[in-house]
Amino acid sequence: MTDFVREGRLFRVTGFFPSHRELFLVSEATLVDRTTTRVEVSFGHVELMFLKPFYRNGLHIRPATAAEFAVLGERHGIPAESAEYTWMLERDGDSFVVSSHPNWREAEYALMGERESLYDGPWPPEFPAESGNVS
């Protein structure tokens, strides 16, 4: 099981595209949190989401536990077959997304040049970048 953990960074919701059911969260390189990379997280096939506009202490994306899903399923009417596709966004928070497996990309901000997103253009990019999936 692979969680996505980037604590201590400011993440924000940058877009939801209903026609493609895609959600994007981004953390820019900032002096405040002393980071030099841009991190982007993508959720596809989004069925349901309960989000904050900002995550000031970073993200910890992981599958919902059985106990968490029991509460969410009852509260929001999520069908049992969606349990394995329910992702918590914080270690101890209430934010969640029901979607396919989230994926992420990270690269040094200074190397991106004119590129506005790590999801734009060819992949992998012409500069060093990391990527992965939450499972």
Side-chain angles (χ1 to χ4, degrees):
M1 191 158 298
T2 305
D3 293 0
F4 173 82
V5 181
R6 292 296 185 283
E7 295 176 333
R9 294 187 68 129
L10 171 66
F11 278 84
R12 62 187 172 90
V13 175
T14 58
F16 177 68
F17 303 98
S19 62
H20 289 47
R21 295 172 32 210
E22 289 180 304
L23 169 67
F24 291 95
L25 304 172
V26 173
S27 177
E28 302 284 353
T30 65
L31 291 175
V32 173
D33 57 20
R34 296 183 193 97
T35 57
T36 61
T37 60
R38 178 182 173 101
V39 182
E40 300 178 20
V41 181
S42 170
F43 296 82
H45 305 286
V46 174
E47 292 289 329
L48 181 65
M49 56 188 164
F50 186 79
L51 305 172
K52 298 176 185 176
F54 296 98
Y55 293 88
R56 299 188 193 289
N57 296 315
L59 293 175
H60 184 148
I61 303 173
R62 58 183 176 76
T65 65
E68 289 169 327
F69 183 79
V71 171
L72 295 175
E74 184 176 321
R75 184 180 297 158
H76 300 286
I78 305 170
E81 59 270 12
S82 294
E84 68 180 290
Y85 300 104
T86 301
W87 311 99
M88 305 306 291
L89 302 185
E90 303 167 280
R91 187 177 303 280
D92 297 316
D94 292 329
S95 296
F96 69 93
V97 177
V98 178
S99 72
S100 61
H101 291 263
N103 64 72
W104 58 272
R105 295 179 178 179
E106 183 171 9
E108 287 292 325
Y109 183 76
L111 299 178
M112 289 180 59
E114 298 296 316
R115 193 175 192 159
E116 292 184 21
S117 171
L118 293 169
Y119 284 94
D120 290 343
W123 186 262
E126 61 282 0
F127 49 84
E130 295 182 43
S131 64
N133 293 307
V134 181
S135 57

